[in-house]
Amino acid sequence: MPKLSIEDLKKMREDAARKRILRDGESRVRITIHMGTCGIMSGARDVLKAVLSEVEASDLKDTIVTTSGCAGLCSREPMATVEIAGHAPVKYVDLTAEKVVRIVKEHIAGGTVVQELALAVGSEMTR
Amino acid sequence: MQKILQIVEKWGGRKDCLIEMLHDVQTEYNHLPESALRVLSARLSVPLTQITHVATFYASFSLVPKGDTRLRVCMGTACYQKGGNRILEALERELKVKSGEVTPDGEFSLESARCIGCCGIAPALVVDDDDVFGKVNPTKMKKFVADIKKKKQAGKQSAAEA
Amino acid sequence: MEPRLSVLICSGTGCASNKSMEVMDALRKEIATRGLEQEVEVVQTGCQGFCAVGPIVYVQPDDVFYQQVGVKDVPRLVEEHFLKGRPYKDKLYVPPMGGMPIPKLMDIPFFKSQVLVALRNKGLIDPEKIEDYIARDGYQALARVLTEMKPEQVIECVTKSGLRGRGGGGFPTGVKWASARKASGDIKYVLCNGDEGDPGAFMDRSIMEGDPHSVLEGMCIAAFAVGSSQGYVYVRKEYPLAVQRIEVAIEQAREFGLLGKDILGAGFDFDVEVRRGAGAFVCGESTALMASIEGNPGEPRAKYIHTVDAGLWNRPSCLNNVETFANVPMILQRGWEWFSSIGTGDVSQDPWGGSKGTKVFSIAGDVNNTGLIEVPMGTTLREIVFDIAGGLPEGKRFKAVQTGGPSGGFLPESLLNLPVDFDRLVEAGSMMGSGGMVVLGHDKCMVDSAKFFIDFTADESCGKCTPCRIGSKIMLQSLEKISEGKATEEDVEQLERVAHEVANLSLCGLGKSAPNPVLTALRYFRDEVMAHVHEKRCPAGECKALITYSIDAGKCTGCTLCAKNCPTDCITGERKAAHAIVTDRCIKCGSCKIVCNFDAVVVQ
Ligand SMILES: Cc1cc2nc3c(=O)[nH]c(=O)nc-3n(C[C@H](O)[C@H](O)[C@H](O)COP(=O)(O)O)c2cc1C
């Protein structure tokens, strides 16, 4: 990686921001597992493993699996966020490996939100 | 000896990295053996008294070996409020040692920890360095200890078979 | 002045792909052209769940939703709504019949009242991918600083913003940077305090784990401002994941030329190393922290020479907290006016005149939602405990909230309307500290809780100065006597006297603030303390020496669960008949009460 100049940084921001926008095709879906210490101890690693193997087993090529830091609501860990192009993100809470497999099957592959596992739709405001 | 020299090497033999080196020694040997401190003293040209001062000042270091399995009960504010002391007492009864001690067979050591930053799922308990259990129940400690023993036994067996 | 209207623009994936960011720029420009900047603020939001009709523009407090807004709609929208005060009909959103089956995130109280600045990337980026941070405007502030600003201008911006240190004391950050800049010396250090010793706080851990680059960018900007080329992040060893993520972030930043020599080709050098703590609370104190980085025992020294003049290796050193640094890029990017529009007081004349921006709190203890929250300074305790954290679990009543950890105090119900900022908390006898908040229900004893903190201090006192070393032991002994029902009024008087002496005479902040838990317990919960002294009774039922366990024969069903779980076999009784506790063998471990399904175990 060559060192960035100011122009490179600006361009990189645009490219990276564009890449984060989901669209139909190779990156239609993103599922983020929240992996801070609290999340991990509540079982986020098992959840992540289950997602990865289910995504592979179902051959969901347009799905990006990623991790992130703590989502703030420790009492409801492990948490995950599912974003599908053109739809509001959905936050799932109190997850286990079994529950998240259901989410991959029903929400990501099937397109219906698993209502009883979902906390809310949408995301937070940043100033 | 070789290990200690590697550790010194890793930190470029810098005196100011003494605490980092002690962390590595502690990870390697489960405590700070006197022989290791002597090597550090010679290599870094820091008097042994100074090294011992550092080693005894910080709670992370121990001059005596810890148990094979280290149980650390979080005693941060949130865990204490949610009964962390009951967890510690239950383990003291179960292992028949006081907090800060090692069981005679060297299998377990029991300590209290200063907040592991997992207040959201208090009370919490850490096994060895990074295996954290949240929302633990003092009445389940007998089973908790038995499960750890079982897991270790199984681990040893499969290692022996392999 | 508070803006009259807030315009919320969705930057979620759906709306962003429909060019919502261009609409936002157009709105900002149009609002400026019409001279409405003071009246109308533009806020970027995450996805609100209306992607099908994006880009969405939402105006508060009017509660008006616009859909499919394009750049060409902007002038009309601004004129009609913001100038003439009537909705712009063409793009008005009419909701479909029938509600959503799942609530919107921003309708959930836990999320609704939060304002994310330091936690802006919370849960949104992969902390181990620098590209994710850059995609969310990361390192843009640094680029601006290095190309367009002089160090003095950076310091002025931070000073005017009103940012005060988030590590405890609330020292104005700009003032500290200005002194560090002025200090003479070729080599200066920028240090980040990630020791987070308060047992009950975890925001710094979360920031280091979730968004490490925000801290590095803040440090880099500070280094440019004060003229430093070497930094250290001091992280407590108990946070292995935070250590790892900061280390990965440093590696990546170096690779991209955002740390190291000639950063961004602008001729500025700065690099950072990580140092792990080793389990000593006092190492959060500035001089002790510096001693520890040097490889010495972490003992504080008197500060008649400030660390900005002679700190680490006796060179000028600028130490700030993790959260303080995480705020810095946002201030440089959005401007000091924006930052100082949030919060309390007025900092235009006096940097100590108010508390600006937001504060992250970790909320734990007896509440329904435990976790991390970020709210504007000045939010009341009541909003935090009851609205955001969802109040206490069923069956528990509020007794106190402890803020600031071992340096803070207990605040009672009568202070729930207190706006939380640096100065109000100090007036109430507590402290902001690093932002730990632990809620105590009615069944928690204040003597026991105060004893918990003094036990902590007595254990963590480094022993260098006598008032702290001996004073904390004396306080602990007095509290033990009280909790055992052996204390007299003189003991309480002595406790109070020693507490004041420790506060006045100790060398460092540890001892100076250590008596706060005791003093607030006596100030706000004196009756409860005195019940231990006069009546030899612990009203909350926690002090072991003053309570007995018994079984309510009316409620007991004889299920034998308690007897099975009793570690000393002191519960007798036949199956299906009422049980009883043999009091002299009872060790008051509470196991029977935990397992009883019929609420038949009574503590008196
Ligand atoms: C006993 C003691 C412990 C402290 N612990 C911490 C800590 O864990 N984290 C922290 O940021 N500041 C801590 N501080 C405050 C620091 O000394 C220092 O004021 C702060 O890091 C400066 O950064 P700020 O101005 O950004 O807050 C502590 C102070 C004392 C006296």
Side-chain angles (χ1 to χ4, degrees):
Chain A
M1 178 73 212
K3 303 225 183 272
L4 298 181
S5 70
I6 303 270
E7 290 71 40
D8 299 338
L9 181 69
K10 297 235 154 82
K11 190 170 166 302
M12 192 166 162
R13 184 190 83 99
E14 273 150 37
D15 289 351
R18 206 174 307 126
K19 269 201 206 116
R20 287 179 59 83
I21 295 179
L22 300 170
R23 48 176 58 82
D24 288 329
E26 66 215 73
S27 57
R28 185 183 61 92
V29 182
R30 174 165 51 230
I31 173 162
T32 308
I33 316 293
H34 299 286
M35 302 255 277
T37 299
C38 309
I40 291 173
M41 84 168 47
S42 313
R45 274 212 186 94
D46 293 339
V47 169
L48 177 66
K49 265 191 233 146
V51 171
L52 287 172
S53 61
E54 185 59 31
V55 164
E56 194 175 307
S58 313
D59 203 21
L60 297 168
K61 291 212 173 63
D62 58 357
T63 299
I64 307 167
V65 181
T66 173
T67 60
S68 173
C70 156
L73 188 53
C74 312
S75 42
R76 308 299 296 275
E77 297 274 9
M79 297 174 69
T81 307
V82 174
E83 297 163 272
I84 300 185
H87 295 269
V90 178
K91 270 211 166 53
Y92 289 102
V93 289
D94 301 324
L95 293 177
T96 60
E98 293 80 50
K99 285 181 187 170
V100 83
V101 166
R102 236 187 101 192
I103 292 167
V104 174
K105 285 203 168 100
E106 293 177 25
H107 188 169
I108 296 182
T112 24
V113 177
V114 189
Q115 283 189 28
E116 69 263 35
L117 303 180
L119 172 76
V121 295
S123 58
E124 288 172 84
M125 239 163 54
T126 48
R127 293 237 168 189
Chain B
M1 175 77 179
Q2 202 55 42
K3 288 253 168 63
I4 312 277
L5 295 182
Q6 275 167 11
I7 290 169
V8 173
E9 185 93 0
K10 173 179 161 197
W11 294 100
R14 283 167 57 179
K15 278 183 206 178
D16 58 296
C17 296
L18 173 63
I19 294 174
E20 291 288 354
M21 294 176 199
L22 292 180
H23 276 310
D24 289 353
V25 173
Q26 171 106 16
T27 310
E28 189 65 42
Y29 300 98
N30 208 3
H31 73 298
L32 302 177
E34 188 186 324
S35 55
L37 299 187
R38 286 191 185 279
V39 177
L40 286 183
S41 166
R43 284 281 142 172
L44 304 177
S45 316
V46 174
L48 190 61
T49 49
Q50 167 74 12
I51 292 187
T52 320
H53 189 180
V54 173
T56 52
F57 181 86
Y58 293 99
S60 299
F61 304 129
S62 170
L63 299 181
V64 292
K66 303 253 172 165
D68 257 1
T69 304
R70 291 171 59 208
L71 301 180
R72 292 190 302 146
V73 181
C74 182
M75 285 295 223
T77 318
C79 289
Y80 182 79
Q81 292 297 346
K82 298 225 159 177
N85 53 338
R86 296 219 160 111
I87 310 283
L88 190 63
E89 286 164 12
L91 283 170
E92 285 180 344
R93 284 197 299 272
E94 187 54 38
L95 299 171
K96 303 195 176 57
V97 291
K98 290 266 160 242
S99 168
E101 294 176 354
V102 184
T103 52
D105 58 6
E107 199 160 359
F108 288 97
S109 53
L110 180 63
E111 299 160 44
S112 64
R114 287 284 183 231
C115 194
I116 50 169
C118 295
C119 319
I121 47 162
L125 140 67
V126 197
V127 179
D128 293 331
D129 266 328
D130 39 18
D131 216 358
V132 185
F133 296 80
K135 298 190 181 158
V136 284
N137 182 333
T139 62
K140 305 248 162 80
M141 286 299 113
K142 201 182 210 74
K143 184 165 178 320
F144 188 84
V145 170
D147 283 351
I148 293 178
K149 280 189 185 160
K150 231 185 273 164
K151 222 199 238 158
K152 272 200 151 166
Q153 205 64 43
K156 266 185 211 147
Q157 236 157 35
S158 68
E161 277 161 25
Chain C
M1 191 179 73
E2 280 282 304
R4 173 170 63 88
L5 292 174
S6 297
V7 186
L8 278 55
I9 311 214
C10 178
S11 64
T13 47
C15 290
S17 60
N18 283 322
K19 304 203 166 24
S20 66
M21 293 299 93
E22 287 162 34
V23 174
M24 178 166 86
D25 290 342
L27 268 169
R28 285 221 169 102
K29 267 196 207 112
E30 189 67 27
I31 288 168
T33 330
R34 309 251 179 175
L36 294 172
E37 301 114 303
Q38 298 293 319
E39 290 173 54
V40 185
E41 67 164 353
V42 180
V43 177
Q44 180 180 340
T45 77
C47 179
Q48 300 303 304
F50 295 90
C51 316
V53 292
I56 286 286
V57 174
Y58 178 46
V59 185
Q60 272 179 333
D62 299 2
D63 199 25
V64 173
F65 247 103
Y66 294 108
Q67 58 170 336
Q68 292 172 331
V69 181
V71 172
K72 65 178 182 352
D73 297 313
V74 167
R76 293 279 313 281
L77 193 155
V78 171
E79 179 172 335
E80 289 287 308
H81 193 149
F82 305 159
L83 222 50
K84 298 186 180 160
R86 56 189 184 213
Y88 170 51
K89 292 227 178 55
D90 291 12
K91 293 287 168 178
L92 213 53
Y93 173 74
V94 189
M97 304 295 281
M100 278 252 197
I102 306 172
K104 268 191 291 155
L105 196 74
M106 289 308 284
D107 287 343
I108 295 180
F110 181 81
F111 295 100
K112 192 161 93 188
S113 318
Q114 297 201 40
V115 175
L116 305 183
V117 179
L119 298 181
R120 59 194 174 276
N121 293 323
K122 173 180 85 169
L124 290 176
I125 63 172
D126 183 336
E128 299 197 359
K129 284 206 188 104
I130 190 169
E131 293 89 346
D132 275 18
Y133 180 70
I134 291 174
R136 301 225 355 120
D137 292 339
Y139 289 108
Q140 300 295 327
L142 177 67
R144 244 199 83 204
V145 164
L146 294 184
T147 51
E148 296 168 20
M149 295 174 82
K150 293 204 173 69
E152 289 76 14
Q153 290 172 312
V154 176
I155 292 173
E156 190 187 328
C157 176
V158 173
T159 307
K160 281 187 168 165
S161 76
L163 176 67
R164 289 169 67 180
R166 301 312 197 222
F171 192 89
T173 306
V175 174
K176 189 185 285 181
W177 290 12
S179 321
R181 166 131 211 110
K182 251 187 254 132
S184 54
D186 300 339
I187 299 178
K188 297 181 184 179
Y189 298 106
V190 167
L191 313 175
C192 175
N193 192 337
D195 195 48
E196 196 156 68
D198 169 0
F202 51 99
M203 61 284 298
D204 294 346
R205 167 174 72 70
S206 174
I207 293 172
M208 289 186 282
E209 282 177 10
D211 196 9
H213 285 288
S214 68
V215 181
L216 296 181
E217 188 180 358
M219 288 180 75
C220 220
I221 293 172
F224 176 75
V226 307
S228 155
S229 57
Q230 179 65 47
Y232 291 92
V233 188
Y234 188 84
V235 190
R236 65 199 294 248
K237 181 216 165 227
E238 290 84 344
Y239 290 172
L241 191 61
V243 172
Q244 178 204 328
R245 294 228 168 118
I246 290 267
E247 277 173 347
V248 169
I250 292 174
E251 268 316 303
Q252 289 180 343
R254 277 187 194 141
E255 208 180 296
F256 278 64
L258 295 163
L259 279 181
K261 292 255 175 271
D262 194 17
I263 292 173
L264 286 169
F268 169 66
D269 306 339
F270 181 62
D271 211 336
V272 177
E273 283 177 45
V274 176
R275 284 290 176 274
R276 284 177 289 174
F281 173 67
V282 71
C283 285
E285 196 275 342
S286 52
T287 55
L289 182 144
M290 292 172 198
S292 185
I293 294 180
E294 291 168 7
N296 295 317
E299 285 171 1
R301 63 158 174 80
K303 278 188 273 195
Y304 38 81
I305 301 171
H306 294 295
T307 51
V308 288
D309 291 314
L312 185 60
W313 289 298
N314 274 325
R315 295 187 174 122
S317 306
C318 176
L319 172 73
N320 282 113
N321 162 265
V322 168
E323 188 187 332
T324 312
F325 280 126
N327 272 299
V328 166
M330 287 294 275
I331 294 173
L332 271 306
Q333 205 176 333
R334 300 285 309 271
W336 60 267
E337 298 89 342
W338 160 76
F339 193 81
S340 66
S341 73
I342 310 171
T344 62
D346 177 6
V347 292
S348 59
Q349 305 302 319
D350 171 12
W352 277 267
S355 302
K356 292 304 187 184
T358 56
K359 178 75 193 82
V360 184
F361 293 101
S362 53
I363 181 130
D366 288 328
V367 284
N368 284 315
N369 304 325
T370 56
L372 270 194
I373 59 161
E374 180 168 9
V375 290
M377 291 277 190
T379 305
T380 64
L381 283 172
R382 186 183 301 281
E383 285 171 86
I384 294 174
V385 174
F386 287 91
D387 299 344
I388 300 177
L392 285 81
E394 224 184 293
K396 293 215 180 202
R397 291 186 310 281
F398 180 88
K399 181 172 211 169
V401 51
Q402 207 282 341
T403 73
S407 326
F410 303 100
L411 302 174
E413 195 167 5
S414 59
L415 287 178
L416 275 175
N417 290 334
L418 189 82
V420 179
D421 72 13
F422 288 112
D423 309 310
R424 296 293 90 68
L425 283 175
V426 170
E427 280 165 24
S430 185
M431 246 179 85
M432 180 75 84
S434 47
M437 272 197 193
V438 180
V439 176
L440 278 60
H442 69 280
D443 54 353
K444 297 290 178 322
C445 170
M446 301 314 294
V447 173
D448 191 64
S449 301
K451 200 175 75 178
F452 165 78
F453 283 113
I454 299 300
D455 183 39
F456 180 95
T457 317
D459 198 34
E460 292 292 342
S461 170
C462 76
K464 180 165 172 173
C465 78
T466 321
C468 177
R469 182 182 68 240
I470 310 278
S472 58
K473 284 275 178 332
I474 296 177
M475 288 194 286
L476 182 60
Q477 283 162 1
S478 305
L479 285 165
E480 275 168 353
K481 258 174 117 176
I482 298 175
S483 86
E484 287 164 8
K486 293 181 186 151
T488 60
E489 267 185 38
E490 288 78 73
D491 289 310
V492 179
E493 270 163 35
Q494 175 188 307
L495 172 64
E496 211 157 7
R497 203 172 54 241
V498 173
H500 284 295
E501 274 163 11
V502 172
N504 289 334
L505 301 174
S506 293
L507 174 67
C508 85
L510 192 153
K512 283 191 172 78
S513 60
N516 283 340
V518 171
L519 292 171
T520 48
L522 286 170
R523 179 162 158 194
Y524 300 118
F525 300 93
R526 200 169 193 102
D527 291 348
E528 183 178 347
V529 177
M530 295 320 281
H532 290 73
V533 177
H534 293 145
E535 301 159 43
K536 314 289 175 212
R537 187 172 67 84
C538 173
E542 279 215 304
C543 292
K544 275 190 180 177
L546 301 180
I547 54 171
T548 50
Y549 280 78
S550 59
I551 293 176
D552 180 342
K555 285 186 178 163
C556 179
T557 62
C559 73
T560 74
L561 200 57
C562 57
K564 276 194 203 125
N565 275 286
C566 177
T568 57
D569 289 327
C570 74
I571 302 182
T572 58
E574 294 293 309
R575 175 170 267 285
K576 301 229 163 114
H579 283 49
I581 295 176
V582 181
T583 310
D584 54 359
R585 287 218 309 272
C586 174
I587 56 167
K588 300 166 188 174
C589 69
S591 297
C592 47
K593 193 168 168 59
I594 294 171
V595 296
C596 182
N597 292 320
F598 308 97
D599 201 20
V601 178
V602 185
V603 184
Q604 268 163 340

